[in-house]
Amino acid sequence: MNILVSGGTGTLGRQIVKKGINEGYQVKCLVRDFNRSFFLKDWGAELIYADLSIPSTLPLALKDVEIVVDSATVRSVSKYTAETVDWRGKLAFIEASKLAGVKMFFYFSMLYASKNASIPLINLKIKLEKELVNSGINYTIFECSGFLQGLISQYALPVLDSGTIWLSNDSAPQAYLDTEDAAKAIMQTIKSPAYETQKVSIIGRRFWTSKEIVQLCERLSGKTAKIASLPSFAFGIFRYFFRFFEFT
C-alpha cells in the first residue's frame, strides 16, 4: 500500500514516515527541498517534489497513491504565509487527492480547535476541516493536543540559556503528546476502517501544568529558571494586539 506523507521533515511527520516504513508500507514524501529531506530517503522513503504553494505540482505527486497523511503546516521561518499553505495549498491538495482517486485522507487539527477560533492558524484549520468533510473523499481528522517536542524551544532552551519564561497565573494543564506515540496511533488508525469519516482525539498520558514542565527542565538541566508571571487577561490583551502579525 502506498502512503504519501506531506510535512515529512517536521517533528510529527518524520515519526509517521519512520513508523510507516517499519510497518512495511511504501512511503512517499512530498518535499520542496531535497537537501533537507535526504535523511528520509536514507530511511527508505521515496522523495517526490511538490509544493503546496504551487498547486500545479500536486497531481503528479499523487500518482498511484492510496493514502495521504497530511502533516504539513507553515513554519515561523517559512517565506510562505499560513493563508498560502494551510488554506489555499491544502484546498488544492484535497481536490487533487480526490481527482487522483486517493482512498483515505488523514488530516491534523487541534484539540478543542472550536474554542480557539480567534487564533488565525486554528481558524484556517477549522475551515479546512469543513471542506474535507464536504469533499466526498474518505477522511480521518486527528485532533491533537500539544506535542512534548514543542516544549524544547518553549521551555527547555530558555532554561538552558538563562532566558525568561512567561507564564500565566491560571493556565490549564495540557496532556502533551509524544510524536512517536502519535505516529503509532495513526498507523493503527490507518489499518482500521472504523475510523473512516471520523474525528479522532489523540492526547498524552498525563496532564502537565506549565510550572511542572519548568520544574522538570530545571531538574534535568541543573539550572534555575527565570520565570515572569502575567494574569490571563494580560495575555488576552497581547494576543489581541499581536494577532495582526502572522505567527502570533
Side-chain angles (χ1 to χ4, degrees):
M1 183 178 293
N2 289 325
I3 299 177
L4 177 65
V5 179
S6 66
T9 59
T11 305
L12 174 61
R14 66 182 61 196
Q15 297 296 342
I16 295 171
V17 172
K18 181 183 292 186
K19 187 65 176 175
I21 292 171
N22 290 343
E23 296 206 4
Y25 291 105
Q26 292 179 292
V27 180
K28 301 181 179 181
C29 294
L30 186 155
V31 300
R32 289 186 293 111
D33 186 339
F34 284 91
N35 291 328
R36 288 185 61 249
S37 311
F38 203 79
F39 70 95
L40 299 173
K41 185 175 182 179
D42 288 341
W43 290 353
E46 178 184 352
L47 306 185
I48 301 176
Y49 170 78
D51 191 333
L52 289 173
S53 69
I54 309 174
S56 60
T57 64
L58 297 172
L60 186 60
L62 288 159
K63 183 180 180 182
D64 299 324
V65 170
E66 297 172 88
I67 295 174
V68 168
V69 181
D70 176 24
S71 63
T73 191
V74 71
R75 299 180 180 181
S76 59
V77 295
S78 175
K79 63 181 180 180
Y80 303 110
T81 65
E83 184 79 20
T84 299
V85 174
D86 287 272
W87 177 239
R88 294 194 295 270
K90 297 296 184 77
L91 281 177
F93 200 17
I94 292 171
E95 183 62 26
S97 297
K98 184 177 179 180
L99 293 175
V102 169
K103 295 179 180 179
M104 279 294 297
F105 194 103
F106 293 91
Y107 177 68
F108 293 89
S109 187
M110 301 291 292
L111 193 66
Y112 305 127
S114 60
K115 296 182 179 180
N116 296 281
S118 62
I119 300 174
L121 180 58
I122 294 181
N123 185 53
L124 291 178
K125 287 184 175 292
I126 293 171
K127 289 167 58 178
L128 197 76
E129 283 184 41
K130 295 178 181 178
E131 293 293 333
L132 180 57
V133 169
N134 295 327
S135 68
I137 193 171
N138 288 330
Y139 68 88
T140 299
I141 297 172
F142 295 107
E143 299 176 319
C144 300
S145 59
F147 294 112
L148 286 170
Q149 284 78 0
L151 302 179
I152 295 173
S153 60
Q154 186 176 355
Y155 292 96
L157 293 182
V159 172
L160 288 171
D161 297 337
S162 300
T164 300
I165 300 175
W166 292 86
L167 301 179
S168 171
N169 293 328
D170 54 356
S171 60
Q174 300 291 327
Y176 293 103
L177 176 68
D178 190 304
T179 54
E180 289 189 36
D181 292 335
K184 291 177 184 177
I186 291 159
M187 286 298 116
Q188 291 173 357
T189 305
I190 287 176
K191 298 175 183 178
S192 175
Y195 296 103
E196 291 184 9
T197 64
Q198 299 290 324
K199 291 185 178 182
V200 180
S201 296
I202 307 178
I203 65 173
R205 297 181 179 181
R206 62 159 290 186
F207 286 80
W208 295 80
T209 65
S210 297
K211 290 183 178 179
E212 286 176 328
I213 296 169
V214 172
Q215 290 169 356
L216 176 62
C217 292
E218 288 178 323
R219 188 165 65 249
L220 293 175
S221 66
K223 292 189 174 184
T224 301
K226 295 180 181 179
I227 299 175
S229 298
L230 279 178
S232 57
F233 77 86
F235 276 106
I237 294 173
F238 287 138
R239 184 175 70 176
Y240 179 79
F241 175 75
F242 285 110
R243 68 181 297 189
F244 298 105
F245 299 88
E246 180 68 29
F247 287 100
T248 52

